[in-house]
Amino acid sequence: MVTRPFDAHELGPALKDLGSPLPELTVFGMMLGSGKEIVHFMRATRSITSAAYVAKRLSKHAADVIRNGRGMTLTNGNALAGRLAKSAFDLNIPLWLNSPVRELIVDNGVVRGAIVVREGHTIRVNAKRGVVLACGGFPHDVARRQKMFPHAPTGKEHYSPGPTGNTGDGLRLAEAAGGRVEDSLPNAAAWVPVSVTTRKDGSKGVMPHFIDRAKPGVIAVLRDGKRFANEGNSYHDFVQAM
């Protein structure tokens, strides 16, 4: 969120490995930045300045799609991932894709590395200083959701727009090496109201309502027709009330 836009041209051939943004969060396939850019799009029909900005942005996006097959101005999570990758490439840090970690190597209580499967081969990677587990959260780990969300007894009561690969692998690796995941948090997730949508290809998508549910004129009610929260609250507080 609120990541500085990043020019995808800087990734060169590696751009093909960057995941696409959520279709639900794009306009004609174009990613929007946070802050002022969203304001311009919201005011496009009421401000000449905003209309000009939107027209220029859409024109550039169309040209990018024609030349490169996708928008080249990356924002939000795409910008974060792209810039992190570019930093790694600049420092000659190898990036192994499709190389899952099977287990951490623990020797006398000290993590020494990891066992990784790469291109069909099992490889032992030794770490001189340590291993960083940056594996995302657990939005698609039903068993841990069931354990961590007291109000969701089956673990299937929530839908997440997070990457489907975020299944809590890093947490399980840490636990197997002697780590402990705090399970008594009052809120073990960042809540946001969502809608389940059907995409053009028939697959299901999850649309997070970060902004639109707080617009003037929106009244949110439960199934019994009763209003339950101030729609202008933060989306986390909004879902807590829901």
Side-chain angles (χ1 to χ4, degrees):
M1 299 290 283
V2 201
T3 309
R4 284 178 59 189
F6 180 70
D7 184 356
H9 291 96
E10 294 192 41
L11 291 176
L15 176 61
K16 70 180 187 304
D17 296 320
L18 182 67
S20 300
L22 281 178
E24 291 75 27
L25 294 180
T26 64
V27 177
F28 304 115
M30 179 181 66
M31 295 176 282
L32 298 182
S34 301
K36 291 183 178 179
E37 183 157 79
I38 289 181
V39 172
H40 280 307
F41 273 82
M42 304 273 259
R43 298 177 57 196
T45 60
R46 303 191 304 275
S47 164
I48 294 177
T49 300
S50 293
Y53 179 92
V54 170
K56 181 179 179 181
R57 186 81 164 78
L58 288 172
S59 298
K60 182 180 183 303
H61 174 71
D64 284 342
V65 172
I66 292 172
R67 295 193 192 102
N68 305 286
R70 63 168 294 163
M72 300 299 282
T73 300
L74 307 183
T75 64
N76 300 326
N78 250 201
L80 178 64
R83 188 173 279 109
L84 283 170
K86 179 63 166 57
S87 298
F89 299 148
D90 288 347
L91 295 171
N92 296 316
I93 297 173
L95 185 63
W96 292 2
L97 303 179
N98 302 311
S99 303
V101 177
R102 291 300 181 219
E103 63 178 304
L104 295 176
I105 300 169
V106 181
D107 180 18
N108 292 324
V110 178
V111 176
R112 302 291 187 184
I115 302 298
V116 179
V117 178
R118 187 186 186 209
E119 297 177 352
H121 301 285
T122 300
I123 302 172
R124 176 187 173 113
V125 179
N126 296 315
K128 293 181 179 179
R129 299 184 180 181
V131 175
V132 177
L133 299 175
C135 310
F138 60 96
H140 296 283
D141 181 349
V142 173
R144 196 175 295 272
R145 286 182 357 191
Q146 183 179 14
K147 181 180 180 181
M148 301 281 272
F149 305 163
H151 63 281
T154 71
K156 299 179 180 179
E157 285 81 0
H158 288 289
Y159 299 89
S160 174
T164 55
N166 282 6
T167 52
D169 300 339
L171 299 178
R172 285 190 292 275
L173 287 169
E175 289 173 326
R180 176 178 175 274
V181 177
E182 177 60 57
D183 59 4
S184 62
L185 301 170
N187 288 279
W191 308 122
V192 62
V194 300
S195 293
V196 178
T197 63
T198 301
R199 296 170 177 168
K200 291 181 179 179
D201 62 1
S203 63
K204 296 295 183 181
V206 178
M207 171 64 189
H209 298 290
F210 292 120
I211 297 174
D212 48 355
R213 46 106 207 141
K215 287 181 179 179
V218 173
I219 298 176
V221 298
L222 297 176
R223 291 182 179 179
D224 59 8
K226 294 181 180 179
R227 184 168 178 255
F228 60 92
N230 177 354
E231 294 80 4
N233 284 347
S234 77
Y235 38 83
H236 180 84
D237 293 338
F238 181 91
V239 176
Q240 278 189 283
M242 186 170 66

